[in-house]
Amino acid sequence: MLPRWRRAAESLREPAGRRAQAIAHHYDVSNAFYERVLGPSMTYTCACYARPDESLEAAQLRKNELVCGKLGLHCGMTLLDVGCGWGGLVRHAAKEYGVRALGVTLSRRQAQWATAQVAADGLAGLAEVRHLDYREAPEGPYDAISSIGLTEHIGVRHYPAYFRALARRLRPGGRLLNHCITRPHEHQSVRPERFTDRYVFPDGELAPVTRVAAAGALAGLEIAHVENLRPSYAYTLRDWGANLVRCWDACVAEVGVPTAKVWGAYMAGSRLGFEQNWFQLHQVLFARPEHGGEPGYALRPDWEATPSAAG
């Protein structure tokens, strides 16, 4: 039988109010703090490195290009980005591909920051970020859906409902990219370590990529491609940690010594986890088959990082 604290956590995991509190704990620390740690991209997910010594910004640009390529974005398409963070992918897709992009996040501070940046970039006619639960996002249907770093917040037992909600919003022939941290082995616990759960990432859960892929397939989506970016997440965390050290005094002034130390320990421990293969990072590309069974993807992978992302 589960301990009392665990039963209470499980019973509260899914309601939007509980989830909003967990999201706020992790992401509403301070926009200024994250600007210093994450760098100009304000992207709090795994970058995609071509080589270990590549810059964080170049690797984050490559990740955005990789996502857009896998989704097959082009001018005039519609994109829904669930768990959009500070809107980096939404703005990139709108600016570089002419896509009408909507991002939703449960973090009010993220939504406020992203909305201001959309306006500053002159993208108000194409890009939008709303403070919404993904289940409250407009129904669409959308040509493409991205979920970059949201699945970790969902709770494994809610994967089926999560993928059904996204599949319902995807047009036939459309693509869905799910990008999330995973466990390498089926027998491993999905619960995070107690330090992470208590101080950093409340209610987070990780699962093997097999469970992620299976849940999408059960929702009627076809698995088109799977890729593991584990080494890139170790490099991403290395560079975030270096930013924290370089901007330590400013970060402490913004959030205080205890919070800055917690985030430093969390990033260092997570980096070790990816280096030692305790954690992995998978992108799973799904497609919603068209009527008659036509696939929503090319015969062979049709995406590559563009030259602009390789600097």
Side-chain angles (χ1 to χ4, degrees):
M1 185 174 182
L2 292 173
R4 182 178 301 173
W5 70 268
R6 176 71 177 277
R7 294 200 307 272
E10 290 295 334
S11 67
L12 290 170
R13 184 174 307 284
E14 178 62 3
R18 169 76 179 199
R19 185 181 298 164
Q21 291 175 5
I23 294 294
H25 179 89
H26 191 73
Y27 296 103
D28 286 353
V29 173
S30 161
N31 284 337
F33 172 80
Y34 279 117
E35 286 175 8
R36 293 183 173 93
V37 173
L38 304 182
S41 73
M42 280 294 275
T43 303
Y44 194 16
T45 49
C46 176
C48 181
Y49 287 75
R51 58 184 188 274
D53 63 346
E54 186 172 42
S55 72
L56 174 62
E57 287 308 303
Q60 289 292 12
L61 174 58
R62 177 174 286 101
K63 190 270 297 297
N64 281 342
E65 285 290 304
L66 181 64
V67 171
C68 292
K70 287 182 176 181
L71 291 173
L73 299 184
H74 56 78
C75 187
M77 292 179 68
T78 55
L79 168 69
L80 173 65
D81 186 23
V82 294
C84 69
W86 289 273
L89 178 61
V90 167
R91 291 184 286 112
H92 183 82
K95 182 178 180 180
E96 302 298 332
Y97 291 84
V99 170
R100 288 185 289 120
L102 170 63
V104 297
T105 173
L106 268 179
S107 167
R108 190 178 300 277
R109 289 190 182 182
Q110 284 183 335
Q112 292 170 343
W113 190 97
T115 298
Q117 195 61 49
V118 165
D121 290 349
L123 297 171
L126 285 177
E128 182 183 3
V129 173
R130 300 183 190 177
H131 178 232
L132 283 178
D133 187 280
Y134 76 92
R135 292 166 295 189
E136 299 171 348
E139 290 288 325
Y142 300 89
D143 296 307
I145 298 176
S146 51
S147 177
I148 314 298
L150 175 61
T151 317
E152 297 91 331
H153 296 283
I154 297 297
V156 176
R157 67 190 178 97
H158 300 294
Y159 281 6
Y162 162 76
F163 277 106
R164 285 196 302 268
L166 298 187
R168 187 177 68 246
R169 290 169 167 81
L170 188 64
R171 68 161 175 81
R175 300 181 189 181
L176 161 65
L177 184 72
N178 195 92
H179 165 126
C180 69
I181 302 170
T182 56
R183 295 283 195 179
H185 303 296
E186 185 66 33
H187 67 271
Q188 286 184 311
S189 169
V190 298
R191 295 289 297 157
E193 292 72 18
R194 289 192 176 185
F195 172 85
T196 302
D197 192 44
R198 179 172 182 179
Y199 294 106
V200 184
F201 212 133
D203 291 351
E205 284 191 321
L206 307 178
V209 66
T210 49
R211 297 198 199 182
V212 176
L218 287 171
L221 300 170
E222 184 174 1
I223 302 168
H225 189 268
V226 180
E227 181 174 7
N228 185 2
L229 299 178
R230 174 174 72 86
S232 277
Y233 218 158
Y235 300 142
T236 306
L237 286 154
R238 173 201 65 191
D239 290 345
W240 288 342
N243 286 345
L244 176 61
V245 170
R246 184 170 58 253
C247 301
W248 180 257
D249 290 344
C251 288
V252 167
E254 186 67 31
V255 300
V257 171
T259 297
K261 285 186 174 181
V262 163
W263 252 249
Y266 168 65
M267 290 188 292
S270 296
R271 174 185 174 182
L272 180 64
F274 285 101
E275 290 175 342
Q276 297 296 316
N277 197 27
W278 302 335
F279 310 118
Q280 297 177 347
L281 188 289
H282 280 93
Q283 289 189 345
V284 183
L285 179 65
F286 298 94
R288 181 177 174 184
E290 296 197 52
H291 302 301
E294 287 296 317
Y297 53 91
L299 292 176
R300 295 290 301 155
D302 55 353
W303 54 86
E304 291 291 342
T306 64
S308 66

